[in-house]
């Protein structure tokens, strides 16, 4: 006779049938989800189906294993068992399975048997989000998220950027609107170890730079202090400002960067060769700032020496 090799799919089906057959005596009567209650106690129930096993009456006992811990179940009737699970603080999901021990009569002998169920999951639904007090804001402004059962460590994310979030209470989170570019409407969500929750869209308005100079007029070699400010504290990563001009040979200055927590920064701008044009300041989430610039030659300025060490006060 030739050896017959079963296909893998058929083999797995046979194994599954055997395993499910072993567990067919145990029926889980517990829903997958429970709404939170004030006593924080939830009844997990199961029943045993003798299923023609010649089970000896009153010989069956049941245990439940919750997250690795074994507990004896109460017997409610001949084949009904339950266990009152007291939820641990902050725990929203548990995994569990059942074990039963029983005796069955086989011919004239009595045999002790045991069975184990498959693994089940139980989720306690006690968290929900009411929504933002306002789903619109400018970068640096504070927003509030209202809901239930927030925990320390939960945070708001807007446009894929984690917001600086403060736990106020289980019903309220405060967050700082981040600086975002590429459009004003951004997907928002609550990020939590207990599962993320979508928050819809949040509208982030663009903001403006401010400067101490509405226009700049210099002679070649002349210096001026140029201050750039914003209306909120710069985020942890600071704000790098992209500075461009259409008269690059007429303006000499260093890069502009507003450090974390600051609201302004200053650089020294120095005149180069004569010319007139514009200075452009841009950054993600900000309206572009345009400042007219002119460098005017004079008898003294024509012979002036341009200082290579621009930026030192």
């Amino acid at each position: 006779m030739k050896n017959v090799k079963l296909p893998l799919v058929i083999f797995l089906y046979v194994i599954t049938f055997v395993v499910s057959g072993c567990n067919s005596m145990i029926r889980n009567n517990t829903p997958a989800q429970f709404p939170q209650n004030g006593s924080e106690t939830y009844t997990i129930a199961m029943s045993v189906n003798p299923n023609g096993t010649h089970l000896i009456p009153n010989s069956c006992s049941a245990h439940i294993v919750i997250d690795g811990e074994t507990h004896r179940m109460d017997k409610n009737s001949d084949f009904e068992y339950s266990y009152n699970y007291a939820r641990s603080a902050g725990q929203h999901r548990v995994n569990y399975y059942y074990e039963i021990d029983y005796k069955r009569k086989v011919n004239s002998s009595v045999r002790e048997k045991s069975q184990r169920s498959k693994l089940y999951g139980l989720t306690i639904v006690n968290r929900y989000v009411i929504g933002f007090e306002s789903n619109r804001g400018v970068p640096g402004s504070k927003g509030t998220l209202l809901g239930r059962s927030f925990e320390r460590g939960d945070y708001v994310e807007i446009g894929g950027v984690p917001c600086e979030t403060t736990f106020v209470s289980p019903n309220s989170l405060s967050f700082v609107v981040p600086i975002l570019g590429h459009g004003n409407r951004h997907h928002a969500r609550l990020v939590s170890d207990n599962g993320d929750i979508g928050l819809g869209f949040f509208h982030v308005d663009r903001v403006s730079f401010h400067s101490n100079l509405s226009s700049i007029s210099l002679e070649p070699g002349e210096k001026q202090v140029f201050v750039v400010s914003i209306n909120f504290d710069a985020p942890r990563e600071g704000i790098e400002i992209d500075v461009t001009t259409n008269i690059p040979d007429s303006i000499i200055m260093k890069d502009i960067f507003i450090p974390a927590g600051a609201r302004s920064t200053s650089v020294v701008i120095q005149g180069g060769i004569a010319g007139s044009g514009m200075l452009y300041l841009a950054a993600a989430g900000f309206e572009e700032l345009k400042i007219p610039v002119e460098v005017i030659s004079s008898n003294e300025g024509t012979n002036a020496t341009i200082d290579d060490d621009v930026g030192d006060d």
Side-chain angles (χ1 to χ4, degrees), residues 38-185:
S39 65
E40 295 288 14
T41 301
Y42 307 88
T43 300
I44 301 175
M46 55 87 76
S47 59
V48 176
N49 180 9
N51 199 25
T53 58
H54 301 288
L55 187 148
I56 297 176
N58 300 318
S59 68
C60 188
S61 64
H63 294 81
I64 183 171
V65 181
I66 303 178
D67 289 341
E69 295 186 2
T70 303
H71 309 273
R72 187 176 181 86
M73 300 187 73
D74 296 326
K75 187 173 183 178
N76 302 322
S77 65
D78 286 345
F79 302 110
E80 302 285 340
Y81 298 85
S82 65
Y83 175 76
N84 290 324
Y85 167 67
R87 182 178 82 103
S88 301
Q91 190 172 25
H92 300 279
R93 180 174 175 81
V94 295
N95 296 313
Y96 65 95
Y97 61 88
Y98 304 110
E99 292 178 338
I100 60 172
D101 298 308
Y102 62 95
K103 294 179 182 180
R104 59 176 293 194
K105 189 173 182 180
V106 180
N107 297 325
S108 59
S109 62
V110 175
R111 296 182 183 179
E112 294 184 355
K113 304 287 287 183
S114 63
Q115 295 284 332
R116 174 182 293 184
S117 74
K118 69 178 184 179
L119 187 67
Y120 299 100
L122 170 63
T123 301
I124 298 171
V125 181
N126 65 338
R127 305 175 69 247
Y128 60 82
V129 171
I130 297 173
F132 296 111
E133 277 193 336
S134 173
N135 63 351
R136 183 168 188 155
V138 297
S141 64
K142 287 190 176 182
T144 300
L145 181 67
L146 301 176
R148 178 179 175 180
S149 296
F150 295 142
E151 296 180 356
R152 297 186 186 278
D154 293 354
Y155 64 90
V156 175
E157 184 180 274
I158 299 176
V161 177
C163 301
E164 183 180 336
T165 305
T166 302
F167 175 83
V168 179
S169 74
N171 300 320
S172 176
L173 295 176
S174 173
F175 63 94
V176 178
V177 178
I179 300 172
L180 293 169
H182 311 293
N184 294 347
R185 294 177 74 240

Side-chain angles (χ1 to χ4, degrees), residues 88-300:
S88 301
Q91 190 172 25
H92 300 279
R93 180 174 175 81
V94 295
N95 296 313
Y96 65 95
Y97 61 88
Y98 304 110
E99 292 178 338
I100 60 172
D101 298 308
Y102 62 95
K103 294 179 182 180
R104 59 176 293 194
K105 189 173 182 180
V106 180
N107 297 325
S108 59
S109 62
V110 175
R111 296 182 183 179
E112 294 184 355
K113 304 287 287 183
S114 63
Q115 295 284 332
R116 174 182 293 184
S117 74
K118 69 178 184 179
L119 187 67
Y120 299 100
L122 170 63
T123 301
I124 298 171
V125 181
N126 65 338
R127 305 175 69 247
Y128 60 82
V129 171
I130 297 173
F132 296 111
E133 277 193 336
S134 173
N135 63 351
R136 183 168 188 155
V138 297
S141 64
K142 287 190 176 182
T144 300
L145 181 67
L146 301 176
R148 178 179 175 180
S149 296
F150 295 142
E151 296 180 356
R152 297 186 186 278
D154 293 354
Y155 64 90
V156 175
E157 184 180 274
I158 299 176
V161 177
C163 301
E164 183 180 336
T165 305
T166 302
F167 175 83
V168 179
S169 74
N171 300 320
S172 176
L173 295 176
S174 173
F175 63 94
V176 178
V177 178
I179 300 172
L180 293 169
H182 311 293
N184 294 347
R185 294 177 74 240
H186 303 273
H187 285 284
R189 64 173 180 160
L190 172 69
V191 181
S192 172
D193 290 338
N194 297 310
D196 300 348
I197 299 176
L199 304 174
F201 286 98
F202 192 94
H203 190 104
V204 180
D205 291 307
R206 297 176 71 86
V207 288
S208 302
F209 294 115
H210 305 281
S211 72
N212 63 324
L213 303 174
S214 58
S215 63
I216 299 171
S217 180
L218 297 166
E219 292 184 356
E222 183 183 358
K223 297 179 181 179
Q224 283 188 5
V225 176
F226 183 53
V227 179
V228 179
S229 61
I230 55 178
N231 292 329
F232 57 93
D233 296 341
R236 294 187 183 95
E237 66 275 13
I239 301 174
E240 186 173 356
I241 301 174
D242 183 30
V243 182
T244 57
T245 181
N246 57 354
I247 48 170
D249 295 330
S250 300
I251 300 174
I252 304 169
M253 63 186 298
K254 290 185 176 180
D255 295 335
I256 301 177
F257 180 78
I258 301 177
R263 293 196 170 202
S264 65
T265 189
S266 64
V267 295
V268 173
I269 184 169
Q270 181 178 347
I273 65 174
S276 63
M278 299 292 292
L279 189 67
Y280 304 96
L281 277 66
F286 285 83
E287 298 288 350
E288 186 179 59
L289 177 62
K290 302 176 183 180
I291 299 178
V293 179
E294 61 177 354
V295 179
I296 304 173
S297 295
S298 65
N299 292 333
E300 296 178 0

